[in-house]
Amino acid sequence: MSLIVQKFGGSSVADAESIKRVAKRIVDTKKAGNDIVVAVSAMGDSTDELLDLAHQVTPIPAPRELDMLLTAGERISMALLAMAIKSMGYDARSFTGSQAGMITDAQHGAARIVDVTPGRLRDALDEGAIAIVAGFQGFNRDTKDITTLGRGGSDTTAVALAAALGADICEIYTDVDGIFTADPRVVPQARKLDRVSSEEMLELAAAGAKVLYIRAVEYARRHGVTLHVRSSFNSNTGTIVYNPGATSPYATAVLNGETVEEPIIAGVAADLSEAKVTVVGVPDIPGKAAQIFKIVAKTNANVDMIVQNVSAASTGLTDISFTLPKSEGQQVLTALTNEQANVGFAGLQYDDQIGKLALVGAGMRTNTGVSAKLFESLFEAGINIEMISTSEIRISVVTRADTINQALRVVHTAFGLDGDDLAVVHGGTGR
Ligand code: ADP
Ligand code: ASP
Ligand code: MG
């Protein structure tokens, strides 16, 4: 008998019919003789709808109350799913994040899991029941308040439960057949990957491939959890996210024991959620970058790319640009403006019409010419590159936001990633 954790995303439980379909799928796994713990997301786009509602009431909702509101979404889906399973003659019990023992820090809206105490889930399993857990939510012991784990956080709930319970596999059910070489909504020629390393998936998730939430991939990597990302709309094999060196009998069985040579490129991803700040006319003397980024760091902003231009010898002034999430733009601009006289820069520019494209692949380590090919393909499509940054297994470029989808497609083609068939998106709105 295996212990399987299954996570169903919002698009898989969008309405009553979908909930019944998912319930049947869970029951089938139970009938096959497995113990099952389910993590479930809020129905369809209901988290976004609750968020819209909050912003209609006030432009800046209180973080504690926002978490109270948003966690209601998962409470609805967990109860409906448990009811549906019970009506099929199988025992099921729903649990809030707090009841399931998801202990987090106190950071509302982006809480981190610090401990998992799944005693009640174990009891339910011991009694033969299927445990249904509300994704995306936790509980802080000090404040005694309900928290949320960040958008897409139900993936983290599932992975943390799989780690804490020592599950044989963590299955992530979604509205596409697995992890593709690019978002199939944007690049229909994208190909499904049979497997991808957690390292590559981490880079793809960080670069905007929302099929898996970055913190869930980090957690899986740290705790050696193997993931199987697959469609809830069919029973096709999906994509195995593996941790190199770790053995998973389940993954070996899914992949028929095949070990194929790693491709150079795993995929491409795009991110439209960032903006670019340029600090203009910075005195080109030691200590200025330190001063600027100390001010930025105090706002807790997540700075991504940084570029400093060569100073014009005649002026001794330089420009420093960096990217950060749009949601953090205003506070950083305010913080820098407050210190303008101290730092002695001439002005600030803010550009929220940028897009970031990332090409990811472990094979980049040992293959030269990857960046040349990337730049060439963008040049041929007439797309201007504004910033570049690289890591061992990733190259990222910033372009105009309105060219990003075209950029994804040309780069995808240039690296021979196009598949023979068009990818199928089974549900969801892409919101
Ligand atoms: P869920 O509601 O199941 O959590 P999400 O919307 O969070 O689903 O994630 C699935 C979506 O991720 C897909 O519908 C697809 O548009 C998008 N996506 C982005 N990049 C990729 C990729 N490389 N492979 C597969 N899907 C991707
Ligand atoms: N419902 C939450 C969200 O939409 C969490 C999740 O679906 O993973 O972000
Ligand atoms: Mg998701």
Side-chain angles (χ1 to χ4, degrees):
M1 188 197 272
S2 298
L3 171 58
I4 300 180
V5 172
Q6 299 187 325
K7 180 254 171 177
F8 292 90
S11 52
S12 298
V13 291
D15 50 31
E17 273 321 301
S18 309
I19 288 177
K20 287 196 249 178
R21 179 172 52 82
V22 164
K24 181 170 182 311
R25 179 149 205 156
I26 296 168
V27 165
D28 286 344
T29 314
K30 176 73 182 169
K31 277 189 199 156
N34 302 292
D35 275 342
I36 306 160
V37 174
V38 174
V40 67
S41 292
M43 294 170 71
D45 291 330
S46 60
T47 307
D48 287 300
E49 286 153 16
L50 290 172
L51 206 52
D52 289 348
L53 197 55
H55 283 106
Q56 284 167 31
V57 171
T58 165
I60 307 173
R64 178 186 183 277
E65 304 311 325
L66 191 59
D67 277 359
M68 279 295 199
L69 178 72
L70 297 187
T71 50
E74 270 71 11
R75 236 174 133 129
I76 293 171
S77 51
M78 72 172 191
L80 291 171
L81 189 54
M83 282 175 206
I85 294 172
K86 283 182 94 82
S87 77
M88 298 166 105
Y90 285 78
D91 193 9
R93 257 167 256 173
S94 62
F95 298 93
T96 63
S98 155
Q99 290 175 322
M102 306 297 300
I103 312 299
T104 71
D105 63 16
Q107 177 78 37
H108 285 295
R112 282 189 184 271
I113 295 169
V114 295
D115 196 10
V116 184
T117 54
R120 294 192 66 184
L121 305 186
R122 278 195 207 281
D123 292 346
L125 293 177
D126 289 347
E127 289 161 27
I130 295 163
I132 315 283
V133 179
F136 173 59
Q137 54 181 261
F139 173 76
N140 179 262
R141 281 179 176 140
D142 301 324
T143 61
K144 303 204 172 5
D145 277 330
I146 302 295
T147 54
T148 60
L149 309 178
R151 297 304 308 274
S154 296
D155 293 341
T156 322
T157 304
V159 173
L161 290 172
L165 295 163
D168 296 280
I169 188 71
C170 180
E171 296 182 326
I172 307 283
Y173 286 90
T174 185
D175 55 11
V176 287
D177 282 351
I179 298 162
F180 285 71
T181 48
D183 184 344
R185 283 179 207 272
V186 181
V187 184
Q189 291 80 11
R191 236 178 332 108
K192 184 184 76 80
L193 300 166
D194 290 336
R195 76 187 76 208
V196 65
S197 68
S198 55
E199 184 190 29
E200 289 166 311
M201 191 58 227
L202 206 53
E203 290 279 8
L204 285 170
K210 72 162 182 169
V211 60
L212 281 178
Y213 182 43
I214 181 165
R215 284 192 180 174
V217 185
E218 272 168 6
Y219 205 103
R221 208 166 143 70
R222 212 168 335 117
H223 292 84
V225 176
T226 304
L227 308 178
H228 184 187
V229 179
R230 58 194 306 195
S231 167
S232 70
F233 295 79
N234 60 42
S235 47
N236 299 347
T237 301
T239 304
I240 296 287
V241 185
Y242 66 95
N243 296 297
T247 50
S248 156
Y250 175 101
T252 310
V254 168
L255 297 166
N256 295 322
E258 273 173 61
T259 47
V260 286
E261 205 179 315
E262 294 297 329
I264 298 172
I265 303 299
V268 284
D271 190 350
L272 288 168
S273 69
E274 298 212 330
K276 179 169 74 173
V277 174
T278 303
V279 190
V280 183
V282 181
D284 196 6
I285 52 172
K288 286 296 161 191
Q291 231 180 331
I292 288 170
F293 287 101
K294 228 184 257 171
I295 296 164
V296 175
K298 272 203 196 131
T299 69
N300 282 325
N302 289 294
V303 171
D304 182 19
M305 294 184 181
I306 301 176
V307 173
Q308 176 174 344
N309 294 326
V310 178
S311 65
S314 56
T315 61
L317 297 176
T318 181
D319 296 344
I320 297 179
S321 297
F322 55 90
T323 63
L324 79 182
K326 282 178 192 166
S327 57
E328 296 168 354
Q330 197 47 55
Q331 67 203 56
V332 167
L333 291 179
T334 307
L336 284 170
T337 305
N338 289 342
E339 298 286 335
Q340 180 166 4
N342 259 336
V343 184
F345 59 85
L348 291 171
Q349 283 170 1
Y350 185 68
D351 179 358
D352 62 2
Q353 293 301 309
I354 61 163
K356 196 179 68 184
L357 175 147
L359 181 70
V360 174
M364 278 186 206
R365 281 202 188 94
T366 46
N367 281 272
T368 54
V370 175
S371 12
K373 192 165 173 177
L374 171 64
F375 303 154
E376 181 78 20
S377 64
L378 292 172
F379 161 67
E380 279 169 6
I383 296 169
N384 190 38
I385 300 171
E386 301 179 17
M387 290 170 101
I388 301 168
S389 89
T390 62
S391 83
E392 257 199 323
I393 67 163
R394 172 187 50 77
I395 307 171
S396 304
V397 295
V398 166
T399 70
R400 286 293 89 203
D402 59 5
T403 61
I404 199 77
N405 287 349
Q406 189 201 356
L408 272 180
R409 289 190 282 263
V410 300
V411 171
H412 196 266
T413 303
F415 283 89
L417 299 174
D418 291 357
D420 298 330
D421 307 313
L422 294 188
V424 180
V425 178
H426 301 283
T429 59
R431 186 170 175 182

